[in-house]
């Protein structure tokens, strides 16, 4: 067996196992987030419903992507398994139905970006001008994914579109995460929102690292790209779900020492309008912070108690 042929076969075979492992991690995160979401926020029906729909769509799409990828590898190893050369040849020829994975990936990225944009929109008091930049880049990212799909169908090179796709995809999560952290720090300082900031940064870092890893591997080409691409696909669903899982974990008290401060626990108490991390922050900043920027954490605590 030639070295290149052996490397191709081993890469795809191992990637299927790795993809199944990542999907298992996604399943655990999804079930934890879903169960705690419906246990801890019983009075927030609309919030629970929408978050459940988004998380379920992310999980279903990544599962469908894994199923198509598994069928593709199985087709090569079973149907064309006469010799190593025939297997490698089948793995280098993508059937039309395999392009469904491109659609699943594009929708997953779009949903993840929409969640980030909506979170930023609410924290900033529903100001449209704040989210115009991530909206523009999300539209551009979606356009690049559509162009890449059209090029793949026509069997032409997609290197330029894929490079642009992954490069543009970094803008929305970085912009939204940075904006939310900036807003929270101005509202109550790092001490008041330390755990929330930590969760947002870690989830954004996971997503951005996976994207950068996939982009660099794609530019280099070779077997590492399949592993990086599989990791990235899993993270498009895991990262947004992980934020919800960790937030509701702190609210539900899964761990006695969850790390949430008293201010953060108060912000996550339920109201008729949604999670108070949105409502309280918006009210505090828009009504109080602009008039007295020197209040800091103490000012936030006094205003929260008065509410």
């Amino acid at each position: 067996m030639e070295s290149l042929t052996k490397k191709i076969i081993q890469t795809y075979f191992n990637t299927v196992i790795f993809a199944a492992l990542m999907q298992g991690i996604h399943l655990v995160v999804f079930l934890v987030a879903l169960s705690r979401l419906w246990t801890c926020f019983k009075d927030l029906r609309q919030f629970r419903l929408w978050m459940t729909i988004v998380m379920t769509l992310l999980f279903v799409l990544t599962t469908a992507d894994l199923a198509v990828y598994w069928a593709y590898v199985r087709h090569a190893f079973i149907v064309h398994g006469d010799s190593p050369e025939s297997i490698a040849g089948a793995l280098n020829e993508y059937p039309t139905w395999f392009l469904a994975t491109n659609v699943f990936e594009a929708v997953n990225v779009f949903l993840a970006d929409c969640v980030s944009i909506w979170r930023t929109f609410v924290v900033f008091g529903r100001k449209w001008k704040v989210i115009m930049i991530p909206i523009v880049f999300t539209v551009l990212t979606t356009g690049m994914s559509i162009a890449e799909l059209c090029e793949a169908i026509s069997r032409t090179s997609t290197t330029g579109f894929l490079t642009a796709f992954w490069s543009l995809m970094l803008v929305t999560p970085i912009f939204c995460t940075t904006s939310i952290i900036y807003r929270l720090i101005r509202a109550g300082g790092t001490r008041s929102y330390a755990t929330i900031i930590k969760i947002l940064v870690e989830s954004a870092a996971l997503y951005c690292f996976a994207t950068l890893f996939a982009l660099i591997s794609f530019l280099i080409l070779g077997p590492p790209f399949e592993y990086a691409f599989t990791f990235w696909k899993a993270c498009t669903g895991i990262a947004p779900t992980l934020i919800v899982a960790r937030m509701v974990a702190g609210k539900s008290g899964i761990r006695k020492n969850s790390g949430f401060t008293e201010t953060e626990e108060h912000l996550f108490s339920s109201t008729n309008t949604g999670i108070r991390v949105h409502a309280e922050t918006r009210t505090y900043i828009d009504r109080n912070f602009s008039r007295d920027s020197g209040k800091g954490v103490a000012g936030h605590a006094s205003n929260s108690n008065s509410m």
Side-chain angles (χ1 to χ4, degrees), residues 85-97:
E85 289 73 19
S86 62
I87 296 175
L91 290 172
N92 281 328
E93 295 178 0
Y94 300 103
T96 304
W97 52 266

Side-chain angles (χ1 to χ4, degrees), residues 49-292:
L49 178 61
W50 282 109
M51 289 309 303
T52 299
I53 291 174
V54 172
M55 291 191 303
T56 302
L57 282 175
L58 289 171
F59 179 75
V60 169
L61 288 169
T62 54
T63 303
D65 183 87
L66 173 61
V68 173
Y69 188 75
W70 174 85
Y72 162 70
V73 176
R74 179 189 177 279
H75 175 77
F77 276 85
I78 303 302
V79 178
H80 298 277
D82 298 329
S83 65
E85 289 73 19
S86 62
I87 296 175
L91 290 172
N92 281 328
E93 295 178 0
Y94 300 103
T96 304
W97 52 266
F98 183 70
L99 297 177
T101 58
N102 296 51
V103 178
F104 299 147
E105 294 151 13
V107 176
N108 246 12
V109 171
F110 179 77
L111 287 174
D113 286 348
C114 286
V115 171
S116 298
I117 292 172
W118 173 252
R119 190 181 297 118
T120 307
F121 179 64
V122 175
V123 169
F124 273 82
R126 300 176 183 271
K127 296 179 180 178
W128 286 98
K129 63 180 181 180
V130 177
I131 61 172
M132 290 308 299
I133 291 178
I135 287 177
V136 170
F137 276 93
T138 298
V139 172
L140 290 175
T141 302
T142 304
M144 287 298 118
S145 65
I146 294 174
E148 186 271 333
L149 178 61
C150 294
E151 292 291 327
I153 293 175
S154 62
R155 307 291 181 177
T156 57
S157 176
T158 61
T159 302
F161 288 119
L162 278 176
T163 303
F165 172 70
W166 276 314
S167 300
L168 292 171
M169 192 167 45
L170 289 169
V171 177
T172 297
I174 292 176
F175 179 90
C176 291
T177 302
T178 304
S179 300
I180 293 174
I181 291 174
Y182 169 76
R183 195 68 159 175
L184 293 178
I185 291 176
R186 289 197 63 189
T190 55
R191 292 183 60 186
S192 297
Y193 300 103
T195 306
I196 298 176
I197 292 173
K198 179 181 178 182
I199 291 173
L200 291 173
V201 170
E202 290 177 352
S203 298
L206 173 64
Y207 188 83
C208 293
F209 171 77
T211 305
L212 281 173
F213 185 31
L215 175 59
I216 295 172
S217 301
F218 174 72
L219 295 176
I220 296 175
L221 293 178
F225 171 68
E226 291 298 329
Y227 299 104
F229 190 50
T230 300
F231 180 67
W232 168 78
K233 288 190 294 184
C235 287
T236 58
I238 292 176
T241 308
L242 186 61
I243 293 180
V244 179
R246 295 192 63 187
M247 290 294 190
V248 296
K251 173 67 174 71
S252 62
I254 291 179
R255 297 171 295 172
K256 294 182 179 180
N257 298 321
S258 61
F260 278 78
T261 64
E262 182 178 352
T263 303
E264 289 171 326
E265 291 288 358
H266 174 65
L267 291 177
F268 277 95
S269 61
S270 58
T271 66
N272 293 328
T273 57
I275 295 185
R276 290 181 73 102
V277 70
H278 295 156
E280 291 279 355
T281 302
R282 182 171 66 252
T283 302
Y284 176 80
I285 294 174
D286 293 342
R287 296 182 182 178
N288 302 310
F289 186 79
S290 59
R291 293 200 297 266
D292 188 1

